Amino acid sequence: MTAQLNARGDVAVLVPAAGSGVRLGPGAPKALRPLAGEPLLVHAVRRVAAAPSVRLIVVAAPAAEVPAVRELLAPIAPVTVVPGGAQRQDSVAAALAAVPAEVPIVLVHDAARALTPPELVESVAAAVRSGHPAVIPALPVVDTVKEVDAAGTVLGTVDRSVLRSVQTPQGFRHDVLAAAHRAGLDSHTDDAGMVEKAGLPVLCVPGSELALKITRPLDLVLAEALLAVA
Ligand code: CTP
Ligand code: MG
């Protein structure tokens, strides 16, 4: 059954899904690879659509796959599908262009974080709604972290209590994200990096272990195990 989105919701969720998945190994674009029999993108969109604040979902798909992705997602939720770009940031910009100005909150998610629970979408959106211009879900770093030189010699041990591993969805006031993109601020790793460069505060809220990014083959094994128990 197709999920209904909330026409009175105040959140648009962008789902960049145009990457090829080089680190996962040869095969279809990553967002279309199966996890427990369904493409990663289907898992991701189903969970986003279950978040009650979501009014609009925009997926950036590999250009050659736009019609196939529309067909794939039609039974899951009403979704706008646009062609993505060469870099993730280009795909985000393409999706952002499809969001009407009157939607006040925009979240940027990864199709690769296919098991992200709807509750995380809601908690990030709620923090933006309460007045924070940029909000990112994050987890404490569990490993000991060393700083090294080019030869691998340890220079020091980093105080990990001040470090966080950052996930998606990352949430923004629509005008803040749009201004960061207009300014052409480059961020190679995450969307909040652009807002940081613009000098605005970015708030971390608790992330979820289910929001892991499926990057390498072992992550697919882990995600299947998590699906079985979650
Ligand atoms: N993404 C995108 N457009 C790109 C590159 C990435 O929309 N040009 C999306 C991916 O589809 C993914 C998310 O951004 O959902 C996070 O990227 P990543 O995990 O790096 O996925 P890939 O780029 O596909 O993987 P790899 O880097 O291993 O090729
Ligand atoms: Mg990538």
Side-chain angles (χ1 to χ4, degrees):
M1 205 186 71
T2 307
Q4 292 302 305
L5 299 182
N6 178 5
R8 293 159 176 271
D10 57 359
V11 176
V13 183
L14 316 182
V15 186
S20 49
V22 170
R23 289 169 289 179
L24 212 47
K30 180 160 74 177
L32 301 178
R33 304 241 195 142
L35 168 66
E38 288 184 306
L40 291 179
L41 181 59
V42 167
H43 288 279
V45 167
R46 186 183 287 130
R47 286 163 177 75
V48 168
S53 300
V54 174
R55 164 154 147 200
L56 175 70
I57 300 173
V58 185
V59 171
E65 307 288 344
V66 168
V69 167
R70 277 197 189 114
E71 209 168 302
L72 178 71
L73 295 177
I76 309 297
V79 168
T80 303
V81 183
V82 300
Q87 304 296 327
R88 181 180 178 281
Q89 198 173 327
D90 305 321
S91 298
V92 173
L96 182 60
V99 180
E102 70 267 19
V103 180
I105 298 173
V106 178
L107 268 52
V108 189
H109 194 25
D110 285 329
R113 298 186 190 270
L115 302 186
T116 302
E119 293 77 15
L120 190 62
V121 174
E122 283 302 307
S123 68
V124 169
V128 178
R129 198 176 292 123
S130 76
H132 298 281
V135 176
I136 61 180
L139 291 175
V141 172
V142 292
D143 291 316
T144 297
V145 178
K146 303 282 187 192
E147 189 183 354
V148 296
D149 67 13
T153 305
V154 171
L155 300 173
T157 303
V158 181
D159 173 13
R160 84 178 166 207
S161 70
V162 299
L163 299 180
R164 297 290 180 273
S165 276
V166 166
Q167 304 177 322
T168 73
Q170 302 195 342
F172 305 91
R173 250 174 38 209
H174 188 172
D175 61 317
V176 165
L177 185 64
H181 274 266
R182 269 198 308 273
L185 298 170
D186 253 9
S187 177
H188 294 297
T189 55
D190 75 338
D191 305 285
M194 289 196 290
V195 173
E196 287 162 46
K197 281 189 182 169
L200 285 165
V202 177
L203 177 74
C204 284
V205 296
S208 164
E209 289 190 59
L210 289 172
L212 80 156
K213 184 153 75 80
I214 296 167
T215 306
R216 291 173 289 256
L218 200 57
D219 299 323
L220 270 177
V221 177
L222 178 58
E224 266 192 47
L226 286 170
L227 255 187
V229 296

